[in-house]
Amino acid sequence: ATISGYALDINGTMVDGVAVEKHEARRVFEEVVRHGIDPGLVQWTQGNNFQTRVFPIPAHGSRTVRVSYVSELLGGKEAPAYYLPLKFKDKIHEFSLRVEVVKPAAPPTVAKGELANFAFEKWRESYIAETNQQDWSPIEDLVIALPKADGPQVVVEKADDGQTYFAIQDYPTAPRVERQVASVKRAVVFWDASASRGASNHQREIALARAYFELLSVAYGNPKPDIHIDLVLLRNTASKPQPIEYKEIGPAGLVAELGKVQYDGGTQLGAIGPIFGAEKPDLYLLFTDGISNFGREEPANLDAPLYIFSADATANHALLHSLAMTNGGRYFNLANWKDAEVLVDIGYPAWSFLSAAIEGGEVKNIYPQLPQPLASRCTLVGKLTGETATVVVNYGIPGGTPEKRTFKVSRSGAAEGSLLRRLWAQKKLSHLMIHQKSNEKEIAALGKQFGMVTPYTSLLVLDSLEQYVQYEIAPPKSLATMRDKYMRQIDTLEHQKQKQKADKLAEVVRMWDERVKWWNAEYKYAKDFKYKEPQEGAAMEDNPLGQGVIRTAGGRAAPGSRAPRAAARPDTRRESAPAASAAAPAPPMPAADGRATERVYPVADLVLPTILSKDGGREDHSRQPGIVIRPWQPDLPYLKELKAAKGKKEQLAVYMKNRAQYGASPGFFLDCTDVFREAGDTELALQVLSNIAELELEDAALLRVLGYRLLQIGQLDLAVQTFEQVLEMRPEEPQSYRDLALALARRGEMFAPPYPEEPKGLMHAKVTLYNGQPFEGEMLDPKADYARAMDLLAQVVMRRWDARFPEIEIIALEEVNRIIPRAKAAGVSAIPLDPRLIKLLDVDVRIVMTWSADNTDIDLWVTEPSGEKAFYGHNRTTIGGLVSCDFTQGYGPEEYLVRRAAHGMYKIDANYFGSQATRLLGPVTVQVDVFTNYGRPNEQRKSLTLRLKEAQETVRIGEIEF
């Protein structure tokens, strides 16, 4: 089924959703939410999973959402059934369900389900079943058995788009062929043991595996035939094969092995492949939901047929069908098949729909177009472009002689409606989903044309004409008057957009020139310099040249100053700003001539590094400053218990026990990852860390947390793949481009020397990763990584972003200019920047902080050796310390820079000011990177991930002794 209708109540009226590109729909939704207005959104996540988001829901109130979809019945002509998935992840406080079966030939019955007091009763010409549940935890889907229906096999419908659609529903019967189960001596069983499968009931899958090998036993006439099975557990990676000799353990032993599997970790379908060094198997069996969320999704091609089984309604059916076809096997969606039917088909080509042909009349766009195995029914759809047509459907075994069935299609008697139009669109979507990535544009166009939710389109509800015009989204056809007004207003926007594009480069050049002036300026203390403490009621203005300007309570500022970005914050913010210490208060910046008046304090023994050249020459950077990062050590009970455990087996048992209680929080997996890494078990640590990808489908914030930690532990390929996912999910946010670019640059550095040495290029050798782990294998070409990293950062520089990302272009320019010398050394010649923006701004100290939660305000505080504190309200210090623009609505980055650092200790703090996020999954995760000699050959970097729980919490991150 595919969602083809969505509506949300706006002022008491149900307003239809509009099909919009997926990323644009989510961007608009979240921007509208930040303005406190009522939007609604439904989107496809992964597999057969859909998600709706509604904001706000009023206190003690409700909102009404209507979701519409079309699905085919299960079963054959004699026993059709309606299937309603109900296995929700969370307990439902109030649940009600009403099912009406209109004019059935006999009463329907509940064939499967655990709903109390749910039975059908006659009402007029229908049968109705109703139920209401409180605090209900559904564990089973609902299946309703319907009476046999002798409806027409061919249905024709004239839709409101002027086209005529038809559907042919047939029930072909495969010829009875007496055959034994296909001979198998070696088999590989891939068993998905990832965390997302932990809550599923695997009894049917285990029973199916047992029945299959028992069937082989019967065929061989031996209860324990000589069959070798390699059991491979699939998580974030594929485990080492566990050899099972079936002749020794038999069916009971196989069931025992599958029954004791522990479910943990992410899912990487790309880890599937032939077993290195093993004898070629007769077939592969894969039990999975097909939802890959960690690393590569596409497996390697196998050397034997692949048979895939899934009992999960949420499985990625299209992907699993495609994988099975590619590898010469079959996919069995167990919701549609009986075990007896599955068992006899393993190892044999399937009785299938083969093709359809037109032998008279005019028909186009028939689906399906590729061969498909058949369970009990075949539904064929198409468009009738003439008055009549004859459709010939071919069934049989691929490569064999087909069985033909002929159907007549006619316009006469066509009903008015939209049901078949939606069914046709769903069938076309299923066809395109076989090669989803390559068909992205066509899938998106189909979704927009038919108002469907697809992997690339969502349905969005807005509540005013102004919003539709602002985001250039045409209102739904059901709002005809508003739609007409929209068309008249939208024509005036194109000229404005062209002007904005031209202004962007000039704006960036201006900002960059200001940063270069700061970098070129000299900051030093005048002889016997003293500075004054800010007067009560005054606040610092933001000045790009680093010269402080006092703004009085009346709001007047000196000429040339500009209003601070954080001016709109509540007044209570001033109370939480870092106060100066008693020994060395935090001062404003001195005036250009170094003069100061009123309440003065001496500066204690500050020494600036010796400058060898004042005309842009290099300074003496031979000295290596020390960076001390305080390890994150949360005081949590599960960590104490885990650290007290003796040996891997006991630690794993403690982890799995606590996982049941704390496993909904990403912090739990971050903490446990550190414990296993400290114990030297990097393989288990990575498995535990990969659970973060399983917590929510398509959650960019969680994936960012995961990507940062992967960078920290030197898993650069996985970090790049993770940030690729984030960019695909969040292309409207500059952080998505920046994170991926920096990960690519880190990977490029691993395979290439820093400038000015000659590039090594593509090679095969042993190198050392950042975490000290040896790497063996085919190295990547750093040239490609550097080139893409620069291109991504150039997009951060030149695209126009939301106002909540102020001056992120400058941070990106600092970073791309750091990469340029390394890229040139690796052989990159094209630099994707305006020449006016190319200049390396190397500095003694650079500190960069980002965080995971949107609409959240966290501040970077740096206390310099004098006691002078740099923060959002005092963003230029006496020695030239610079704090970037204040990010008050999420993610960051915020940075501190000083080109010529004074000798002494720099203290680094993170302050959690507050959050207006509508949803926070536990404490906010903060990522801090600390550099010394940034942009120079002797650059050092240290990183830390920590979590802040509550607003106003301040955490000491670390110190730099320079």
Side-chain angles (χ1 to χ4, degrees):
T2 304
I3 293 174
S4 54
Y6 177 75
L8 173 69
D9 66 306
I10 302 288
N11 299 323
T13 301
M14 298 302 294
V15 176
D16 291 323
V18 180
V20 181
E21 286 86 352
K22 180 179 179 178
H23 299 306
E24 177 67 7
R26 184 190 39 72
R27 182 192 72 82
V28 171
F29 174 88
E30 292 175 354
E31 186 171 322
V32 172
V33 164
R34 281 190 287 274
H35 296 157
I37 307 173
D38 302 1
L41 174 72
V42 62
Q43 59 189 354
W44 190 316
T45 53
Q46 284 180 283
N48 194 33
N49 296 276
F50 299 81
Q51 177 191 69
T52 183
R53 303 172 64 183
V54 179
F55 180 85
I57 298 177
H60 309 291
S62 66
R63 300 295 299 274
T64 301
V65 173
R66 182 178 67 225
V67 179
S68 309
Y69 63 93
V70 176
S71 63
E72 296 182 64
L73 297 179
L74 301 180
K77 184 177 182 180
E78 301 299 320
Y82 173 72
Y83 188 104
L84 181 65
L86 288 178
K87 288 190 290 188
F88 297 108
K89 183 175 67 173
D90 302 313
K91 178 182 289 187
I92 301 172
H93 180 54
E94 294 184 18
F95 174 85
S96 62
L97 174 68
R98 180 179 186 272
V99 176
E100 179 179 355
V101 181
V102 181
K103 297 182 180 180
T109 59
V110 178
K112 179 182 177 182
E114 31 100 37
L115 290 167
N117 305 315
F118 190 72
F120 283 92
E121 297 181 358
K122 188 171 180 58
W123 182 74
R124 296 179 180 174
E125 295 183 291
S126 301
Y127 281 86
I128 292 178
E130 295 183 274
T131 185
N132 294 281
Q133 306 286 336
Q134 299 289 326
D135 295 323
W136 183 56
S137 297
I139 59 173
E140 193 173 37
D141 295 333
L142 176 67
V143 179
I144 297 172
L146 300 171
K148 175 183 176 182
D150 293 319
Q153 283 189 283
V154 179
V155 181
V156 184
E157 187 177 81
K158 184 177 180 181
D160 56 5
D161 62 1
Q163 301 193 67
T164 301
Y165 297 85
F166 68 87
I168 297 172
Q169 187 166 243
D170 193 20
Y171 304 89
T173 302
R176 292 186 175 276
V177 178
E178 294 296 330
R179 64 187 183 192
Q180 290 186 331
V181 62
S183 176
V184 172
K185 288 296 184 181
R186 298 187 68 89
V188 176
V189 176
F190 288 107
W191 191 271
D192 187 344
S194 62
S196 61
R197 296 239 303 160
S200 300
N201 186 336
H202 304 289
Q203 293 307 308
R204 186 181 176 193
E205 293 175 343
I206 293 174
L208 186 66
R210 174 174 183 158
Y212 173 65
F213 286 101
E214 286 179 336
L215 199 61
L216 287 173
S217 302
V218 173
Y220 289 128
N222 184 345
K224 292 183 178 180
D226 187 8
I227 302 174
H228 178 84
I229 303 170
D230 280 318
L231 175 61
V232 179
L233 301 183
L234 182 65
R235 296 188 178 101
N236 59 295
T237 189
S239 71
K240 294 180 180 178
Q242 177 185 342
I244 298 174
E245 301 301 333
Y246 190 73
K247 66 180 180 179
E248 297 176 3
I249 69 171
L254 177 63
V255 168
E257 291 296 331
L258 295 177
K260 67 184 182 183
V261 170
Q262 290 185 317
Y263 294 87
D264 183 64
T267 312
Q268 182 175 199
L269 290 182
I272 295 173
I275 298 175
F276 180 74
E279 186 179 334
K280 177 183 175 182
D282 297 302
L283 51 72
Y284 293 89
L285 307 177
L286 170 60
F287 296 82
T288 181
D289 59 9
I291 298 178
S292 185
N293 50 34
F294 187 80
R296 294 179 294 110
E297 182 178 69
E298 295 296 330
N301 288 332
L302 298 172
D303 51 1
L306 172 65
Y307 294 86
I308 306 177
F309 313 87
S310 180
D312 293 289
T314 58
N316 193 338
H317 303 297
L319 174 63
L320 296 180
H321 176 61
S322 177
L323 288 180
M325 288 179 59
T326 302
N327 288 283
R330 291 184 64 181
Y331 167 51
F332 296 98
N333 179 354
L334 297 181
N336 298 341
W337 293 83
K338 296 178 181 178
D339 288 359
E341 297 170 332
V342 172
L343 292 171
V344 297
D345 283 344
I346 298 175
Y348 286 100
W351 171 261
S352 304
F353 160 82
L354 298 177
S355 62
I358 310 303
E359 291 190 352
E362 298 178 14
V363 169
K364 65 178 183 180
N365 303 128
I366 289 181
Y367 295 100
Q369 294 183 352
L370 298 175
Q372 290 190 359
L374 296 175
S376 53
R377 73 172 69 218
C378 175
T379 302
L380 192 79
V381 297
K383 294 181 180 180
L384 179 63
T385 54
E387 289 299 319
T388 61
T390 300
V391 181
V392 179
V393 184
N394 298 309
Y395 302 108
I397 302 296
T401 302
E403 174 187 317
K404 298 179 181 292
R405 294 169 71 100
T406 302
F407 300 90
K408 298 289 186 180
V409 183
S410 174
R411 254 184 222 273
S412 63
E416 300 279 345
S418 61
L419 183 65
L420 295 188
R421 179 177 181 268
R422 287 189 286 165
L423 181 61
W424 179 89
Q426 289 179 3
K427 289 289 186 181
K428 180 175 181 179
L429 177 61
S430 297
H431 171 75
L432 295 174
M433 288 289 289
I434 294 174
H435 301 289
Q436 178 181 327
K437 297 291 186 183
S438 58
N439 291 328
E440 177 177 346
K441 290 184 179 179
E442 196 170 353
I443 290 173
L446 182 72
K448 294 179 72 173
Q449 180 184 356
F450 288 87
M452 291 195 309
V453 179
T454 74
Y456 307 112
T457 53
S458 302
L459 295 181
L460 176 69
V461 176
L462 299 175
D463 77 342
S464 69
L465 174 62
E466 290 73 25
Q467 288 180 22
Y468 285 109
V469 171
Q470 178 182 353
Y471 299 111
E472 299 181 56
I473 297 172
K477 293 180 180 178
S478 55
L479 299 177
T481 302
M482 182 184 290
R483 193 178 177 91
D484 289 342
K485 293 179 179 178
Y486 168 86
M487 294 302 179
R488 290 194 294 270
Q489 293 189 26
I490 200 67
D491 292 338
T492 63
L493 292 180
E494 191 59 34
H495 176 71
Q496 299 174 16
K497 289 165 61 177
Q498 293 298 327
K499 185 177 184 301
Q500 289 175 354
K501 186 176 180 179
D503 291 345
K504 175 68 176 184
L505 178 59
E507 180 184 340
V508 172
V509 169
R510 178 188 59 78
M511 290 190 294
W512 185 241
D513 285 346
E514 291 175 356
R515 183 58 53 93
V516 172
K517 288 179 183 177
W518 165 84
W519 186 82
N520 283 325
E522 288 189 36
Y523 300 92
K524 58 184 179 181
Y525 295 103
K527 186 177 180 180
D528 299 325
F529 168 73
K530 297 178 180 180
Y531 59 82
K532 68 175 181 177
E533 192 178 57
Q535 296 179 7
E536 185 176 355
M540 288 302 303
E541 289 290 356
D542 179 55
N543 188 312
L545 299 183
Q547 297 168 348
V549 182
I550 295 293
R551 176 170 58 85
T552 66
R556 294 179 60 85
S561 65
R562 54 196 173 100
R565 291 275 184 180
R569 294 184 179 221
D571 291 338
T572 55
R573 179 59 181 259
R574 303 298 176 196
E575 299 173 7
S576 63
S581 65
M589 296 296 297
D593 59 3
R595 293 178 298 174
T597 58
E598 303 179 6
R599 305 167 58 190
V600 294
Y601 301 85
V603 178
D605 301 329
L606 285 178
V607 182
L608 297 178
T610 303
I611 300 173
L612 301 181
S613 171
K614 295 183 180 180
D615 59 1
R618 308 281 300 181
E619 292 89 351
D620 178 11
H621 303 302
S622 59
R623 197 165 44 82
Q624 286 286 3
I627 305 175
V628 179
I629 293 291
R630 296 189 177 186
W632 174 245
Q633 294 180 331
D635 184 18
L636 296 167
Y638 60 78
L639 280 181
K640 295 177 181 178
E641 188 178 359
L642 191 60
K643 290 178 179 179
K646 305 297 183 182
K648 178 177 179 178
K649 186 175 181 181
E650 184 179 340
Q651 278 194 325
L652 185 57
V654 169
Y655 161 73
M656 292 301 294
K657 181 194 76 171
N658 283 286
R659 190 186 191 286
Q661 180 177 355
Y662 300 101
S665 168
F668 170 76
F669 298 110
L670 292 172
D671 295 336
C672 293
T673 296
D674 290 340
V675 174
F676 289 120
R677 286 188 70 241
E678 290 168 5
D681 196 334
T682 55
E683 183 177 321
L684 181 56
L686 187 58
Q687 174 183 309
V688 171
L689 179 61
S690 69
N691 280 281
I692 293 176
E694 296 265 312
L695 290 176
E696 294 286 342
L697 294 177
E698 293 196 355
D699 190 306
L702 288 175
L703 289 179
R704 281 194 176 107
V705 172
L706 174 61
Y708 294 147
R709 182 55 64 92
L710 289 168
L711 278 178
Q712 285 181 16
I713 64 176
Q715 294 288 343
L716 302 185
D717 280 348
L718 288 171
V720 167
Q721 291 164 10
T722 300
F723 287 128
E724 291 276 17
Q725 292 179 342
V726 175
L727 177 58
E728 187 176 338
M729 294 178 198
R730 299 272 175 162
E732 78 282 2
E733 293 178 345
Q735 286 86 350
S736 303
Y737 299 82
R738 177 179 176 268
D739 289 338
L740 177 56
L742 297 183
L744 286 165
R746 287 276 295 275
R747 193 170 70 176
E749 291 168 12
M750 183 174 72
F751 295 112
Y755 61 89
E757 296 151 328
E758 292 297 319
K760 294 180 180 177
L762 192 66
M763 68 190 81
H764 185 84
K766 177 180 284 188
V767 298
T768 299
L769 298 180
Y770 288 107
N771 63 343
Q773 298 297 317
F775 174 90
E776 287 185 327
E778 193 71 21
M779 294 188 183
L780 300 174
D781 184 358
K783 180 178 178 180
D785 278 352
Y786 280 139
R788 182 144 185 253
M790 290 193 298
D791 180 69
L792 289 165
L793 288 172
Q795 291 190 60
V796 177
V797 173
M798 292 310 303
R799 288 182 59 176
R800 188 166 292 280
W801 305 106
D802 188 280
R804 62 197 181 99
F805 307 122
E807 297 189 8
I808 194 170
E809 298 89 345
I810 302 304
I811 292 176
L813 278 171
E814 293 167 354
E815 291 163 340
V816 72
N817 275 290
R818 174 192 173 274
I819 295 172
I820 287 173
R822 292 164 165 82
K824 287 182 175 179
V828 179
S829 57
I831 308 300
L833 284 179
D834 185 287
R836 292 172 290 177
L837 302 176
I838 299 176
K839 183 174 179 59
L840 175 61
L841 304 188
D842 59 321
V843 294
D844 282 352
V845 175
R846 182 175 189 247
I847 303 165
V848 186
M849 182 176 73
T850 61
W851 52 97
S852 62
D854 194 7
N855 287 327
T856 300
D857 186 359
I858 297 176
D859 293 316
L860 175 64
W861 295 351
V862 177
T863 305
E864 295 174 343
S866 67
E868 186 174 0
K869 288 183 172 65
F871 63 103
Y872 76 94
H874 179 44
N875 54 17
R876 302 293 187 274
T877 68
T878 308
I879 59 171
L882 178 152
V883 176
S884 62
C885 271
D886 190 16
F887 279 70
T888 64
Q889 297 185 60
Y891 303 137
E894 291 191 9
E895 70 170 350
Y896 168 85
L897 301 169
V898 59
R899 183 183 181 189
R900 301 183 182 96
H903 294 321
M905 193 70 70
Y906 292 76
K907 299 175 183 178
I908 311 165
D909 296 308
N911 172 253
Y912 185 0
F913 177 68
S915 177
Q916 296 180 349
T918 57
R919 172 180 172 274
L920 283 174
L921 192 61
V924 179
T925 302
V926 179
Q927 163 81 13
V928 182
D929 292 300
V930 180
F931 299 85
T932 57
N933 291 313
Y934 179 79
R936 300 165 185 159
N938 60 338
E939 176 187 292
Q940 293 186 89
R941 174 202 292 113
K942 288 193 176 181
S943 301
L944 174 71
T945 298
L946 65 148
R947 296 190 303 282
L948 301 180
K949 296 180 180 180
E950 299 175 355
Q952 309 304 325
E953 181 181 8
T954 302
V955 173
R956 173 61 50 85
I957 296 169
E959 297 171 344
I960 302 173
E961 185 176 7
F962 205 93

